[in-house]
Amino acid sequence: MRRRAGLMAGTAAVTVLTGALGACAPSKKAAESGSGGGAELRIATTTDVVNFNPLIGNSRTDYWLTNLMYPHLLTVGNDGSKRPSLATKWGYTNPTTGFYEIRGDMKWSDGTPLTASDVAYTLNAVKKDKPSGTLYGQLANFSSAKAVSPTRVELKLSKPDATVIPEVGFWGNVVPEHVFGKAGSVAKFANNANWVSAGPFRLTKVAKGQSYTLERVTPYPFAPGGRPTVSRIVYKVYPDVNTEILALKNGDVDAIANALPPAQVQPLKKAAGITVEEVPGLGYAHLAYNMDKKPLDNVKVRQALSHAVDYDAIRKVVLQGQAVSTGSSPIMPVLKQFHDPSLQEYTFDPAMARKLLQDAGYTADGSGKFPLSFRMIYSLQDPVTAQWATLVRDDAAKAGITIKPQGLERNTYLAKTDAGDYDIYAGNFAIMDDPATNMTLTYLPKGIINYSHVDASDLSTLVTKAQATTDVNEQKKLVQAAAKLVHDQVYDNVMYTQNLYVAHRSNWTGFVVKPSELLSIVDPQSLANVKSSS
Amino acid sequence: MPPLARFALRRVLRGVVTIWFAVTVTFLMLRLLPGDPALAVANPNMTRETRQALLHQYGLDQSLAVQYGKYLWQLLHGNLGVSFSQSVPVTTALMDRLPWTLLLTLSALVVTIVIGVPLGVLAASRRGFWDRAVQLSGVVGQSLFVPSIGIFLLYLLGLKLRWFPIGGAYTENTYGIAWYGSVLRHLVLPCLSLVLVQLGSYVLTLRSTLIDALGEDYCTLARANGLGERKVLWKHALRNALLPTTTLVGLQLGFVVGGAVLTETIYAYPGIGRGIYEAVTQLDFPVLQGAFVLLSATVIVANLLTDLAYGLLDPRVRTA
């Protein structure tokens, strides 16, 4: 009797489990097969998609995946300059009116033409509903958009702002009005089923925590013959980059699109069957000295701190030579059209640091230590910064300055950053593609990422003027003057631009490398052209 | 009311109170975490206005008491809320993942019992080399840590020998029987990790209780009645020795669930454990609350069933 009961319980358990699993089992009918052949490209990522609505999504994987469905008006070159994508022409007709001319040959995957109305709808809806994605942050001086023809959209600005057209074009995805318009607020629309895409791929299957499958969309004008070369893209989720590397070596995936840890680059370059690609960096790592805290409001103290960091050692040891100096300027050399090569990096000179501190009125004790102690926060999620934080501490000690590094879990780090609860902020920005835009965010008193808490009228005047002018030469002069002020007054201590490396299996060719980890080798135009030789 | 029904009712009431306690502690602890969900979920460059709008949308601008009251009211109506980060109902977010966690934890439990019982019997009945070997393995097993064993197995069996895939729960674009086959292949390493870390305690507990049982009077009497040693061992001693082991199965379920969080994270296994890990990084309170309610309810129900099974197996428990 008991045996029978046990057997029945066991059978019931197996039935329940099989039923539950059966619900997860994909049916061939439901999964759309890529039409007409072509290989499948499997790409590793370390995070799930959090949000399928590109106007809300913020994670790297959100960006990679939604970019394959919702086009950007502009893309970016390796030097940060804006290049055509959906938009073929862009600019300003007067200081408060901008425009985009868009292609007339793009369609959504359900056959609806992609027109200027979709662009105008996207911008107006974001302005109205205030979704939490990146685009809304670019619309501070944007009033409204209007489609004046199927291929031209005009933007009205509340005040002159030269950054709106290039930055909205680069950061904003265009979404289909006929889908998103029915959903009510774009800030609350999950967009988690029945995706409509303007190519090159369309999401067809989601297995949370496991994989995301996208099928080819045709026609796509940026693919050879209007047809993406691979039939299917599968993003596979792994817990971290080390497991991704194991999976790449094992042949479980074909590419890793996120940046490799610096120490893994050389071993992977030597690994058989693996190709490593260099991705130009468009961001920088920096130390922001909180000027709300005394004595960091004293320029001599900030200059002393700048002379108490061995930048070369950090770039050579921690970054294994995969980074370049910016000359302590917030305009990196990669931004060729704006960079000022006359600005020189602060030298690592503990004696100079000591002299500056003495000039500032500080006296070292018998052991050579000054009565100065600073708490430096950094995110433990960022292994590179975590490594150089200790070098910064040790270098400062040579100048008699005490720095106490405080590694924090990401959310605590964000909260302390937001509250200004630090003396020194150590971190990095992933993409600083447009100096005028970035300086409004980093150096104006109410800038969202003004981590130095700088409030300097001369700097604010330069930045505000640079933001307003649409004259490129004038803007260059203004941002260079602002960068010189930042350099000389140490309103920000910019340390380096890191060049990134990604890897793929060598049988795959045709990747188009774009700057930054966000674009990397998984930009839509890259994935529409990639080929497998086996 | 019959004693068994009274016993069952008492246990059920205790289970309900325990779930309420777990729900309340989870709710309060999440709100003690540093940071705020708006910062964790949204673009860090957002304006203060957007941040306030998000906090309002999440209901986090209300007092703790109001938030708690609303949460309990929702819960009583079977509503776990809406995920902050994904904008989908928590039930949807969790139900996608639940089958994988059930598959992993139940498989690990079954394999542990299937291997653990014979090993415990072997150690108790063949004192000497086998006993020492099983004891040593048991102690080593108990000292293993899921991440260490996970990385080792991935390296050896995944990368070097290429017997099993690196992560995931199945191979994409496989269907029918091939899909079930790929599910099994992907299950082996995470399941093995969980089995290895929990096997020791089962084996050692069973060994010790079985040795005690074999020395009891009823076993001596059975032998005196001419029963063979095998029958004494499997039919008389083992049935009594299994009682504490049954309790251990219930108690260990909590550890299995905890182990599953780590295991799923290491093997990129798409279960609730990995969902919890991601929700923690995003401070997604509704998903975390929902996951903890689900997991604590699972553990409490399993313990309840263990208690009831114990009551059925041993009449003394019902009247205690």
Side-chain angles (χ1 to χ4, degrees), chain A residues 513-531:
Chain A
V513 180
K514 293 244 177 192
S516 89
E517 198 179 29
L518 273 188
L519 303 175
S520 164
I521 54 171
V522 290
D523 184 67
Q525 293 180 27
S526 174
L527 296 186
N529 287 279
V530 67
K531 287 190 287 268

Side-chain angles (χ1 to χ4, degrees), chain A residues 244-473:
Chain A
E244 285 183 326
I245 292 170
L246 289 183
L248 183 74
K249 287 180 173 174
N250 205 32
D252 288 0
V253 292
D254 303 304
I256 299 173
N258 46 280
L260 300 168
Q264 292 283 4
V265 172
Q266 285 309 321
L268 271 176
K269 276 185 175 173
K270 290 176 191 160
I274 306 281
T275 301
V276 174
E277 306 268 8
E278 184 175 347
V279 174
L282 260 189
Y284 59 72
H286 66 143
L287 292 167
Y289 304 123
N290 187 346
M291 293 170 62
D292 282 349
K293 307 254 175 149
K294 286 189 180 298
L296 291 168
D297 56 341
N298 185 333
V299 64
K300 287 194 185 300
V301 174
R302 297 198 299 274
Q303 285 171 337
L305 283 164
S306 298
H307 278 296
V309 181
D310 190 345
Y311 306 98
D312 260 340
I314 288 172
R315 289 190 292 261
K316 279 181 189 154
V317 177
V318 178
L319 290 138
Q320 316 244 326
Q322 298 158 20
V324 292
S325 167
T326 71
S328 302
S329 164
I331 305 179
M332 308 89 76
V334 67
L335 304 178
K336 291 188 181 74
Q337 62 190 112
F338 295 107
H339 179 64
D340 178 1
S342 70
L343 294 181
Q344 296 296 305
E345 183 170 80
Y346 280 84
T347 51
F348 175 47
D349 189 344
M352 173 66 82
R354 286 176 180 279
K355 182 178 178 307
L356 283 161
L357 290 177
Q358 283 158 2
D359 291 349
Y362 292 94
T363 309
D365 64 13
S367 63
K369 284 176 78 173
F370 288 95
L372 288 170
S373 177
F374 302 107
R375 184 167 54 88
M376 179 174 76
I377 65 165
Y378 63 91
S379 169
L380 289 169
Q381 204 184 25
D382 176 356
V384 172
T385 306
Q387 282 182 60
W388 58 247
T390 53
L391 294 184
V392 168
R393 177 197 61 194
D394 297 346
D395 292 343
K398 289 173 189 162
I401 305 168
T402 303
I403 289 182
K404 294 176 180 164
Q406 187 180 21
L408 300 167
E409 164 277 326
R410 179 178 175 266
N411 289 317
T412 312
Y413 174 71
L414 289 175
K416 282 192 181 287
T417 303
D418 183 62
D421 183 11
Y422 54 86
D423 298 317
I424 304 173
Y425 166 96
N428 55 69
F429 295 123
I431 299 186
M432 299 301 257
D433 59 307
D434 183 78
T437 305
N438 302 328
M439 286 180 171
T440 62
L441 298 170
T442 45
Y443 304 130
L444 289 185
K446 288 188 178 171
I448 299 294
I449 46 177
N450 180 352
Y451 297 148
S452 305
H453 295 222
V454 51
D455 183 358
S457 58
D458 48 354
L459 181 62
S460 296
T461 305
L462 288 169
V463 172
T464 309
K465 280 185 181 171
Q467 184 187 16
T469 182
T470 52
D471 179 332
V472 175
N473 290 325

Side-chain angles (χ1 to χ4, degrees), chain A residues 2 17-18 20-22 24-28 31 40 46-51 56 58 130-137 187-190 192 205 207-211 213 215 232 234 236-239 243 246-247 249-252 381 409-412 414-415 418 441 448-449 451, chain B residues 34-36 39-51 54 57 85-88 96-97 99-100 102-103 106-107 154-155 158-159 162 164-176 179-180 183 239 265-270 274 277-278 280-283 312-313:
Chain A
R2 275 186 189 159
L17 209 53
T18 312
L21 266 186
C24 299
S27 72
K28 200 164 191 173
E40 172 182 292
T46 53
T47 57
D48 255 298
V49 173
V50 180
N51 222 301
I56 302 174
N58 281 301
K130 306 179 181 69
S132 56
T134 315
L135 179 56
Y136 179 66
K188 293 179 182 169
F189 179 38
N192 57 353
K205 199 163 56 182
K208 275 272 179 189
Q210 154 94 13
S211 63
T213 304
E215 305 286 345
R232 185 183 290 131
V234 179
K236 296 184 73 169
V237 185
Y238 290 90
T243 319
L246 289 183
K249 287 180 173 174
N250 205 32
D252 288 0
Q381 204 184 25
E409 164 277 326
R410 179 178 175 266
N411 289 317
T412 312
L414 289 175
D418 183 62
L441 298 170
I448 299 294
I449 46 177
Y451 297 148
Chain B
D36 85 57
L39 275 176
V41 167
N43 170 22
N45 297 358
M46 69 186 154
T47 60
R48 298 239 163 238
E49 182 196 11
T50 311
R51 186 172 160 193
L54 277 177
Q57 183 184 321
S85 60
Q86 302 169 52
S87 309
V88 296
D96 287 346
R97 294 175 177 270
W100 298 111
L102 282 178
L103 177 68
L106 291 182
S107 317
L154 270 178
Y155 179 77
L159 182 65
R162 302 201 172 194
F164 300 103
I166 311 272
Y170 58 88
T171 306
E172 285 74 21
N173 303 307
T174 52
Y175 305 95
W179 183 80
Y180 283 98
V183 168
R239 280 173 64 173
T265 305
I266 291 160
Y267 289 100
Y269 206 76
R274 181 148 171 88
Y277 171 78
E278 286 167 2
V280 166
T281 61
Q282 292 151 1
L283 291 180
L312 280 172
L313 291 170

Side-chain angles (χ1 to χ4, degrees), chain A residues 50-71:
Chain A
V50 180
N51 222 301
F52 297 103
N53 178 345
L55 307 177
I56 302 174
N58 281 301
S59 86
R60 189 182 52 211
T61 312
D62 292 8
Y63 191 86
W64 286 348
L65 202 127
T66 54
N67 272 0
L68 296 175
M69 300 197 285
Y70 308 107

Side-chain angles (χ1 to χ4, degrees), chain A residues 475-492:
Chain A
Q475 191 180 60
K476 178 178 174 178
K477 279 183 201 163
L478 290 162
V479 294
Q480 285 191 341
K484 185 164 176 12
L485 263 182
V486 170
H487 173 280
D488 294 349
Q489 298 294 313
V490 199
Y491 291 139
D492 200 358

Side-chain angles (χ1 to χ4, degrees), chain B residues 109 113 202 243-256 298-307:
Chain B
L109 200 63
I113 292 168
Y202 285 96
L243 283 172
T245 315
T246 308
T247 311
L248 188 67
V249 169
L251 291 174
Q252 283 284 86
L253 202 71
F255 293 103
V256 174
T298 308
V299 173
I300 287 163
V301 168
N303 278 312
L304 182 68
L305 292 176
T306 310
D307 278 355

